[in-house]
Amino acid sequence: MKTEKSDKRPAPAPVSEPITGAEAVIRSLIAEGVETIFGYPGGAIMPIYDALYDFQVSGQVNHILVRHEQGATHAAQGYARSSGKTGVVFATSGPGATNLVTGLADAYMDSTPMVAITGQVAAALLGTDAFQETDVIGITMPITKWNIQVTRPEDIPGAIAKAFYIAKSGRPGPVLVDITKNAQFGKLDFQYEACEYIRSYRPKPVLNMEQVEAAAALINASKRPYILCGHGVLIADAQKELIAFAEKAGIPIASTLLGLSAVSVDHPLYVGYVGMHGNYSPNINTNECDVLIAVGMRFDDRITGDVNTYARQAKVVHIEIDEAEIHKIIKADAPVHADAKEALQALTGKIDAKDTKAWIQSFKELDKQEDEKVRHKELYPTEGELKMAEVIRLISEKTGGEAILVTDVGQHQMIASRYYGFKSPNTNITSGGMGTMGFALPAAMGAKVGKEEREVVAIIGDGCFQMTLQELGTIYQSKIGVKIVILNNNFLGMVRQWQQLFFDRRYSSTEMTNPDFVQIAKGFFIPGKKVTDRSEISDAIDEMLNTPGAYLLEVVVEKEDNVFPMVPAGAPIASIRLD
């Protein structure tokens, strides 16, 4: 995702006479280069929707009518992460605005740029508990990068300009602009100026060469250096810089969940991904390296496990644009508060080439253990029920690792992350920090709108699918050609796995009696197929990929299939289990 590159179009022609605040909203968005809005109308935002009408008819902006406001936020996330632009959402006041909360929190946790515009009751009614009045500013303050309530029409252009600047600069995130109804109806002399500066807000720190020198010194003195690549590498568009840095010194690269796709799985220095269900070798060798170079990641608990035992032997270099993340979880010996691209460019010129063959070989030896105990039987089973991993392997092979893979949350998410062979940047879209069930279907449709030319495949569990399946209506109405794969084990699979391993198989409220998913899809005029046998799966995936437009494939998989390796919650990462 490129956040520094402007996606603005030339500003629309000057307006010679006063316009409504509602029209100012649309003209401001067009000035910011907005092409697509995801939203749902209602009373308090109706003037904005009325103003939108003429701009839609003229083809200046496209509005996609979702079936639920949460779907709008996830669609905007998918759009932002596939296109590199800022996602835009419309919602009305009260329940419309509160339905945005989960998506805003998800975007905040995963650093996704989004501008949410909500309608609000007239300023004279604020604080009176008027119909559909909710304090959306108070509610969303902890889960937005910035929010503002606008009560005068003349303040609308400046608020929107500031919103876009904050959303996409530095560490990106969601912002919310709440506009009262009187401000939408009121008139103003419209003039739009993009925001390029806010006093006291410094989103991009100046690179400190003393910090770079200190980091380089640690790396040059190391014998077992190790890179952890996070989402920040993709946000900074620093994939090439990361690879050049790693190749110069022969440093193995592991990825976080959200860092997946920054480095092709085929790269000889790529060693897998870390975390609770990550690969065995990069998890184990976190506690064997002598210098740990963390780039654009925040050391969340799914990565570190027990922080008291995490990489205690290593010196830590932490490259991070958000200063609040440095030292927050893991103390850095050489912090580099900087944009990842700039920091990696500077470091590459100061590090020495080194022989790391033996160190890299240690990853390969550990990989053999994972192959023997986990990978082979997961990827190439010859009997029994279908396994999630073999389905993902086939999808990966048939798409060449080049599809945008959008995953929901749970076992299928971990399996897809482990076994899909990502080849290109920004092709892994998932809910990381929040772990939001129901994310994938709307996010996939947003990703497809953002990258129409790319194949987009949503991998969803049966539980997750039922949280946002109403967005099949959006997919049908807007003709969004997303491929949907439901891995159906008739369980809330990840919770069931924990109940099996840690709660004596007491499966409390996790077994699901599911509907006919294919029939539901057909109700939305989306073709589909259900597969229960291994002999059918390859041809069924071909049919899905070759069918024009949207398609739903339901695959019935093993009910008690578990995801390994696994680090038990809160345990040291050295306690990772292979079975």
Side-chain angles (χ1 to χ4, degrees):
M1 187 185 303
K2 301 180 182 180
T3 58
E4 296 303 325
K5 180 180 177 181
S6 174
D7 52 36
K8 298 186 184 70
R9 297 186 227 164
V15 180
S16 58
E17 58 186 36
I19 63 173
T20 66
E23 184 177 341
V25 170
I26 308 303
R27 288 186 175 274
S28 298
L29 295 178
I30 291 172
E32 285 289 343
V34 173
E35 298 173 334
T36 300
I37 299 162
F38 302 92
Y40 202 98
I45 200 170
M46 205 174 295
I48 290 175
Y49 270 89
D50 182 68
L52 174 66
Y53 182 86
D54 289 334
F55 292 92
Q56 279 190 275
V57 170
S58 64
Q60 294 180 72
V61 67
N62 178 38
H63 178 274
I64 293 178
L65 175 63
V66 297
R67 297 306 187 261
H68 190 284
E69 291 89 353
Q70 181 180 340
T73 57
H74 295 326
Q77 287 177 272
Y79 177 86
R81 285 168 63 177
S82 72
S83 70
K85 299 178 181 179
T86 301
V88 179
V89 173
F90 281 178
T92 194
S93 65
T98 58
N99 282 343
L100 302 180
V101 167
T102 297
L104 289 169
D106 197 295
Y108 187 71
M109 290 283 278
D110 288 351
S111 304
T112 303
M114 182 194 304
V115 172
I117 294 175
T118 52
Q120 183 57 274
V121 301
L125 295 175
L126 291 173
T128 69
D129 293 332
F131 178 67
Q132 291 192 334
E133 181 200 356
T134 302
D135 180 10
V136 67
I137 296 299
I139 290 169
T140 63
M141 190 174 293
I143 54 170
T144 52
K145 200 175 170 188
W146 179 71
N147 65 16
I148 187 172
Q149 187 171 78
V150 180
T151 60
R152 305 189 310 165
E154 59 266 33
D155 295 334
I156 287 172
I160 290 177
K162 190 173 180 181
F164 273 86
Y165 177 60
I166 292 172
K168 65 189 174 183
S169 59
R171 180 179 178 177
V175 302
L176 183 139
V177 182
D178 190 46
I179 306 176
T180 60
K181 204 165 184 179
N182 63 287
Q184 297 173 47
F185 277 124
K187 295 289 187 78
L188 73 153
D189 293 318
F190 180 76
Q191 184 177 0
Y192 192 81
E193 292 183 12
C195 180
E196 302 290 346
Y197 169 80
I198 298 171
R199 189 175 64 182
S200 79
Y201 173 56
R202 299 289 182 270
K204 188 174 181 180
V206 176
L207 185 65
N208 183 326
M209 290 308 297
E210 289 184 3
Q211 292 182 343
V212 172
E213 295 279 1
L218 286 181
I219 295 165
N220 287 335
S222 69
K223 297 186 184 302
R224 299 183 306 281
Y226 178 36
I227 296 169
L228 286 186
C229 159
H231 191 200
V233 172
L234 290 159
I235 293 172
D237 191 29
Q239 304 88 244
K240 292 180 180 177
E241 287 75 15
L242 176 72
I243 291 169
F245 168 72
E247 287 178 344
K248 183 173 182 182
I251 307 174
I253 307 168
S255 166
T256 66
L257 176 63
L258 288 179
L260 284 167
S261 81
V263 180
S264 171
V265 296
D266 291 340
H267 195 282
L269 291 175
Y270 181 72
V271 294
Y273 96 99
V274 293
M276 178 174 281
H277 292 287
N279 296 111
Y280 189 61
S281 69
N283 272 308
I284 290 291
N285 275 351
T286 299
N287 281 356
E288 298 297 328
C289 65
D290 55 6
V291 171
L292 180 64
I293 307 157
V295 188
M297 54 87 71
R298 57 187 179 83
F299 291 110
D300 71 278
D301 61 296
R302 287 302 193 257
I303 299 294
T304 63
D306 179 6
V307 294
N308 295 313
T309 62
Y310 182 81
R312 303 296 292 177
Q313 80 294 337
K315 299 291 185 182
V316 175
V317 174
H318 193 180
I319 301 170
E320 174 57 51
I321 198 168
D322 184 354
E323 192 171 22
E325 295 294 347
I326 297 174
H327 306 306
K328 187 174 85 174
I329 308 291
I330 299 296
K331 186 180 185 305
D333 299 281
V336 182
H337 178 215
D339 172 79
K341 183 189 282 280
E342 291 184 359
L344 289 167
Q345 286 173 335
L347 267 173
T348 302
K350 295 185 177 297
I351 61 171
D352 302 329
K354 57 176 74 236
D355 182 1
T356 57
K357 292 187 181 66
W359 171 228
I360 291 171
Q361 184 60 33
S362 72
F363 286 87
K364 295 178 180 178
E365 294 300 321
L366 291 166
D367 283 341
K368 291 178 183 177
Q369 296 182 46
E370 185 173 343
D371 286 341
E372 292 170 3
K373 291 194 173 184
V374 181
R375 280 199 190 107
H376 186 74
K377 67 181 182 180
E378 290 285 316
L379 291 170
Y380 303 100
T382 57
E383 58 185 11
E385 296 175 278
L386 277 163
K387 286 188 167 290
M388 293 179 283
E390 64 181 309
V391 179
I392 300 300
R393 172 181 61 81
L394 286 167
I395 293 171
S396 182
E397 291 171 358
K398 291 173 183 294
T399 59
E402 293 288 353
I404 295 175
L405 201 73
V406 186
T407 52
D408 224 296
V409 174
Q411 288 183 314
H412 60 279
Q413 176 192 33
M414 298 294 99
I415 290 289
S417 301
R418 285 176 52 76
Y419 295 121
Y420 191 82
F422 297 100
K423 300 289 178 64
S424 298
N426 297 311
T427 53
N428 167 53
I429 298 176
T430 196
S431 173
M434 273 287 283
T436 302
M437 291 180 67
F439 172 86
L441 186 64
M445 69 189 192
K448 183 65 174 177
V449 172
K451 282 287 182 185
E452 182 69 31
E453 71 278 11
R454 297 295 290 267
E455 190 76 84
V456 175
V457 181
I459 306 295
I460 311 178
D462 48 306
C464 291
F465 182 71
Q466 292 177 77
M467 288 197 166
T468 52
L469 64 80
Q470 70 274 1
E471 297 308 332
L472 291 174
T474 308
I475 290 168
Y476 170 62
Q477 180 172 347
S478 297
K479 298 179 174 58
I480 302 171
V482 65
K483 311 303 183 185
I484 305 156
V485 180
I486 301 175
L487 298 181
N488 181 7
N489 57 13
N490 290 286
F491 265 110
L492 298 175
M494 187 60 82
V495 183
R496 184 213 56 76
Q497 178 170 334
W498 282 45
Q499 288 174 336
Q500 177 185 335
L501 298 177
F502 307 117
F503 293 89
D504 299 321
R505 274 194 162 91
R506 291 163 59 85
Y507 294 156
S508 176
S509 301
T510 48
E511 189 165 9
M512 304 196 76
T513 301
N514 288 319
D516 187 330
F517 295 121
V518 174
Q519 281 299 112
I520 289 172
K522 287 181 179 178
F524 289 98
F525 307 99
I526 295 171
K529 187 171 189 175
K530 181 176 182 177
V531 172
T532 59
D533 190 84
R534 182 165 288 112
S535 63
E536 303 173 309
I537 186 62
S538 180
D539 288 345
I541 293 171
D542 287 337
E543 180 179 326
M544 174 184 73
L545 295 174
N546 292 329
T547 299
Y551 190 98
L552 184 143
L553 175 63
E554 178 189 356
V555 185
V556 178
V557 295
E558 183 180 337
K559 290 188 75 168
E560 292 190 285
D561 191 6
N562 288 333
V563 185
F564 288 104
M566 179 180 184
V567 180
I573 56 172
S575 301
I576 187 169
R577 297 173 50 170
L578 285 170
D579 53 28

